[in-house]
Amino acid sequence: SAAPAWTLELSEQLRAVKIGAVKRRARHPPPAAYGWALAAMPPPAEAPSFAVGMKELLFGTKLNVLLVCVPLAIGGSVLHLGDRLVFIASLLALCPLAERLGFVTEQLAMYTNPTVGGLLNATFGNVTEMLVSILAIHRGLLRVVQLSLLGSVLSNLLLVLGTAFFCGGLRQKVQTFNTDVISANNALLVLGALAILLPAILDASGTALHRVDDKGADELALSRFSSVILLAVYFAYLYFQLVSHADLFDEDGGAEEAGAGTATELTRLADDESRVGAPDSPRPEAAPAAEKAGGGGDDDEEEAVLGKGGSLFWLAVLTVLVALLSEYIVNTIETSAKEFGMPLAFVSTILLPIVGNAAEHASAIIFAMKNKMDIAIGVAVGSSTQITVLAMPFAVVYAWAVGQPLTLDLLP
């Protein structure tokens, strides 16, 4: 006899339930069924170890061979081996320390948002010049402060940028760059130059109100007022760069964060490649990176090799070492200039800026040879802009705070 309809319906429902259970089991097997898969999976990403970070910090660039000058400078100062030895050793040791300081800042920025990372790079990009200025102000070497900052601007705009254009033109017939980014930099640079020229124009024109009673009072007041305005403009520019128009700078791989970051990236590239490939036939492995705007998009360049705690630790250590060596330089610069038979103005304007920023200068030249003009110009012009609208005004305001009459009047 035929089965009742309700039994057939019940059997169909049971069959559907069994089929659904089998499918679910296939999609989500029990733990024992995929234990082999778990064993084959890579372990979760761990924070970089302190030993790995220290190895990268000490041996990540060939420039670190100059780190032997650090104990030489400290020993020479403690044992009183002569101001000339201490000055030379301190000046050479600043090259790798400034580059490694930029590397650590770059690593620390990976654990923050883009705004904080940009602020870190902007702050520590010219920390060497600012520390030298602070120490020289306390010793009353106001002319050394003026000339060293002026020399940094001139070396970046004339020597570094000119050499970058020349070397880049030897390999590339036509080189292009982002005009929007450069226009913002040029506007700030012109504004800073005009503000620096105002006290000198006031002095040369003889129109100061207190020229007889208190010579230099008007130039000093104008310098301080201009410095406050320049600092306000610089922070407005940071807002423009990091917040309101960050997309303009992201297209160039952060070319405006020129101080330490780009020099660090360049040093890694220079160590990995002994020479730059031919412009018309780039090596296959280098082609994808060359196609990226700004050249800062390689995966290995984004890898964190220092943990957050390690970055903070090494940032503090390197800052202390840079401050110590800067103090040695300031204490011995006058005696060393006399022993070398060189004018103090030459040592302050030429030697101090060029040797202290050697890694950054090399970065602009080699990036130009790799046809990455946005970064090359960002290194040279961006660094000059930071010195003009940040380091110089900061030095004047700091000298004002400690009672030193530092002005923007660069005339002798």
Side-chain angles (χ1 to χ4, degrees):
S1 60
W6 65 269
T7 58
L8 294 175
E9 183 179 353
L10 180 60
S11 62
E12 287 294 332
Q13 292 178 355
L14 291 174
R15 182 171 177 271
V17 170
K18 290 180 179 179
I19 293 175
V22 171
K23 290 181 178 180
R24 285 194 299 272
R25 190 178 298 112
R27 288 196 301 266
H28 307 287
Y34 57 84
W36 61 272
L38 289 176
M41 290 176 62
E46 298 180 357
S49 66
F50 185 82
V52 172
M54 186 172 181
K55 180 181 178 181
E56 176 65 26
L57 191 70
L58 296 179
F59 305 103
T61 170
K62 296 176 181 178
L63 193 63
N64 281 357
V65 296
L66 294 177
L67 287 177
V68 297
C69 295
V70 175
L72 182 61
I74 297 175
S77 177
V78 173
L79 300 176
H80 304 287
L81 299 180
D83 289 347
R84 183 164 53 182
L85 174 64
V86 175
F87 178 78
I88 295 176
S90 300
L91 203 58
L92 293 177
L94 274 183
C95 296
L97 287 179
E99 191 275 336
R100 291 290 86 181
L101 186 64
F103 168 74
V104 173
T105 305
E106 197 176 62
Q107 292 290 311
L108 183 60
M110 294 182 182
Y111 298 95
T112 63
N113 56 51
T115 301
V116 177
L119 287 173
L120 285 172
N121 280 307
T123 302
F124 287 92
N126 295 293
V127 67
T128 304
E129 291 89 345
M130 297 175 75
L131 286 174
V132 170
S133 299
I134 290 173
L135 295 169
I137 288 171
H138 282 285
R139 285 183 57 87
L141 301 176
L142 303 184
R143 192 58 180 166
V144 172
V145 177
Q146 292 178 324
L147 294 179
S148 63
L149 294 177
L150 176 63
S152 296
V153 175
L154 294 179
S155 64
N156 277 294
L157 290 180
L158 300 179
L159 175 64
V160 179
L161 191 60
T163 307
F165 284 152
F166 177 79
C167 295
L170 294 178
R171 292 182 170 269
Q172 308 291 334
K173 293 183 179 180
V174 178
Q175 293 185 294
T176 60
F177 52 86
N178 188 332
T179 56
D180 294 331
V181 175
I182 302 304
S183 297
N185 247 332
N186 288 344
L188 267 184
L189 199 56
V190 170
L191 177 63
L194 290 176
I196 293 172
L197 284 174
L198 286 178
I201 294 174
L202 180 64
D203 183 26
S205 62
T207 57
L209 295 178
H210 303 86
R211 190 170 185 83
V212 178
D213 299 335
D214 189 3
K215 186 177 180 180
D218 288 329
E219 290 85 350
L220 181 60
L222 182 57
S223 297
R224 291 170 175 174
F225 175 78
S226 301
S227 298
V228 173
I229 298 299
L230 284 178
L231 288 177
V233 170
Y234 177 74
F235 288 117
Y237 173 67
L238 284 183
Y239 180 81
F240 169 81
Q241 174 183 342
L242 302 175
V243 181
S244 63
H245 292 72
D247 55 326
L248 292 178
F249 301 90
D250 289 341
E251 291 175 1
D252 298 316
E256 289 305 306
E257 297 168 5
T262 51
T264 302
E265 178 185 354
L266 186 279
T267 306
R268 288 199 297 269
L269 289 175
D271 288 343
D272 293 339
E273 302 177 13
S274 59
R275 52 185 176 272
V276 182
D280 297 330
S281 57
R283 294 179 299 176
E285 63 271 18
E291 294 173 0
K292 297 182 180 180
D298 294 13
D299 292 340
D300 58 343
E301 293 171 3
E302 297 298 328
E303 181 182 356
V305 295
L306 292 177
K308 186 176 181 180
S311 299
L312 291 172
F313 171 77
W314 287 115
L315 184 65
V317 171
L318 292 174
T319 303
V320 170
L321 287 176
V322 169
L324 181 63
L325 294 176
S326 300
E327 183 178 4
Y328 290 161
I329 289 175
V330 171
N331 292 339
T332 59
I333 187 171
E334 290 182 302
T335 307
S336 300
K338 291 180 181 178
E339 292 181 359
F340 284 124
M342 298 179 181
L344 181 62
F346 176 82
V347 176
S348 303
T349 310
I350 305 299
L351 292 184
L352 193 57
I354 291 179
V355 178
N357 296 307
E360 185 176 298
H361 294 170
S363 71
I365 297 172
I366 300 183
F367 273 128
M369 295 175 66
K370 288 177 173 290
N371 201 25
K372 300 175 182 179
M373 292 305 298
D374 286 318
I375 299 182
I377 297 177
V379 170
V381 182
S383 180
S384 299
T385 302
Q386 285 188 350
I387 293 173
T388 304
V389 298
L390 174 63
M392 280 187 174
F394 170 80
V396 172
V397 173
Y398 182 82
W400 184 11
V402 298
Q404 291 284 359
L406 178 64
T407 70
L408 295 176
D409 186 1
L410 302 179
L411 293 177

